[in-house]
Amino acid sequence: MKILITREIPKAGIRMLQEHADLEIDCRNGPPLSREELIESVRDVHAIVPVIPDVIDEDIINAGKNLKIIAAFSVGYDHIDTYAAEKKGIYVSNTPGDLTQSVAEHTIALMTAVGRNIVQADKYIRKGEYEFWDPMLFLGTTFIGKTLGVVGFGRIGQYVAEMCQKGFGMRIVYNSRFKKPSSGASFLSLDELLEISDVVSLNCSLTEETRHLIDEPELKKMKPTSLLINTSRGPVINEKSLIRALREKWIAGAGLDVFEDEPKIPEELINLDNVVLTPHIASATKEARIQMARMVAENIIKVLIKGQEPIHKI
Ligand code: DGY
């Protein structure tokens, strides 16, 4: 049985698959496959392991005549047409859990980088502009006693909240599809959350309900001193509105790991000083990637070798 892995992933997962003589692995490591290449490559495979840039639409799914499982190498699966897969009885699985800490830590890295002007200060030194100490240089903000508003209170959102509460002494409010009464944090409507939060962290999945959840009216509700951090998915924010908000100082700054049309990033955003940008690396730790590779392998082995459902079925 053939497995197509569209990008290089840690060996830990490949080795698990290689233990099964029945599995033949085709692991690509060039640039992302085009749609045509995906359609061609999926024809005779039993499992495909897509990564974030691989949009697995209905045509690709239909082309996979032997396809039994789409084992996403990610926790997010908005790049996969899960309805088309379900119609054809193809399993879709993801890799939840193990990247929680990595994404949460990156969320906090972005929050502190924006709040303490880390990137601007680094550039200032490299440009040779540091000539004397100045009490008013790069004034940032402390986080103790401030309010963190978490939008999307799943595993990652809750972990960000815990770190900010225990580590920074922040007060936590959240908005989510489901209330989590045992979390100790206060549930608020999105509007209330945006109005009172000093830092807003987006940790929700991308769905039709969350597409452009943060647009002009929402950004206008935030305080001019607030920071917006996005480690979820780019289209949760209307990027054009965010650029206006940052330019016209409706909010103080933003930390973004994800973008509306990745990897394309508007020049206007790149030229702004009050935003820190990273290339969708919130989950990029060695530990998380190894665990993700193992989960992908477990999901495939369950379906192709054991004839069972994947462990992390969507
Ligand atoms: C995910 O897993 O969804 C991350 O965004 C990419 O690793």
Side-chain angles (χ1 to χ4, degrees), residues 187-199:
F187 178 91
L188 293 183
S189 70
L190 182 63
D191 286 355
E192 288 169 325
L193 178 148
L194 295 170
E195 278 161 21
I196 68 157
S197 296
D198 299 292
V199 180

Side-chain angles (χ1 to χ4, degrees), residues 2 7 10 66 107 147 186 191-192 197 242 259 278 299 303 305:
K2 285 193 181 168
R7 304 280 301 160
N66 298 325
T107 305
T147 300
S186 315
D191 286 355
E192 288 169 325
S197 296
L242 177 63
F259 306 91
T278 54
N299 285 325
V303 174
I305 303 291

Side-chain angles (χ1 to χ4, degrees), residues 52 73-79 95 99 103 231-233 257-258 280 282-284 289 292:
I52 298 286
F73 188 85
S74 56
V75 68
Y77 50 86
D78 46 279
H79 55 307
T95 56
L99 44 68
V103 177
T231 52
S232 63
R233 285 293 183 266
D257 185 52
V258 285
H280 202 150
S283 65
R289 292 286 185 256
M292 289 165 78

Side-chain angles (χ1 to χ4, degrees), residues 147-153 171-180 185-197 199-202 213-214 217-218 221-222:
T147 300
L148 169 75
V150 184
V151 179
F153 213 51
R171 173 180 169 234
I172 312 297
V173 298
Y174 73 98
N175 177 264
S176 202
R177 269 182 311 158
F178 304 107
K179 292 192 182 172
K180 307 269 164 62
S186 315
F187 178 91
L188 293 183
S189 70
L190 182 63
D191 286 355
E192 288 169 325
L193 178 148
L194 295 170
E195 278 161 21
I196 68 157
S197 296
V199 180
V200 173
S201 174
L202 302 179
L213 184 71
I214 304 298
E218 289 71 30
K221 288 199 175 89
M222 290 176 68

Side-chain angles (χ1 to χ4, degrees), residues 28-85:
R28 310 287 174 93
N29 59 10
L33 298 178
S34 67
R35 190 164 175 279
E36 291 65 39
E37 285 168 329
L38 275 170
I39 290 183
E40 199 44 50
S41 313
V42 86
R43 283 196 198 290
D44 59 343
V45 306
H46 299 80
I48 178 170
V49 181
V51 295
I52 298 286
D54 304 320
V55 177
I56 307 296
D57 61 20
E58 186 153 20
D59 291 344
I60 294 172
I61 291 171
N62 287 338
K65 298 284 175 244
N66 298 325
L67 206 51
K68 301 260 177 313
I69 174 165
I70 302 168
F73 188 85
S74 56
V75 68
Y77 50 86
D78 46 279
H79 55 307
I80 299 171
D81 187 339
T82 50
Y83 297 106

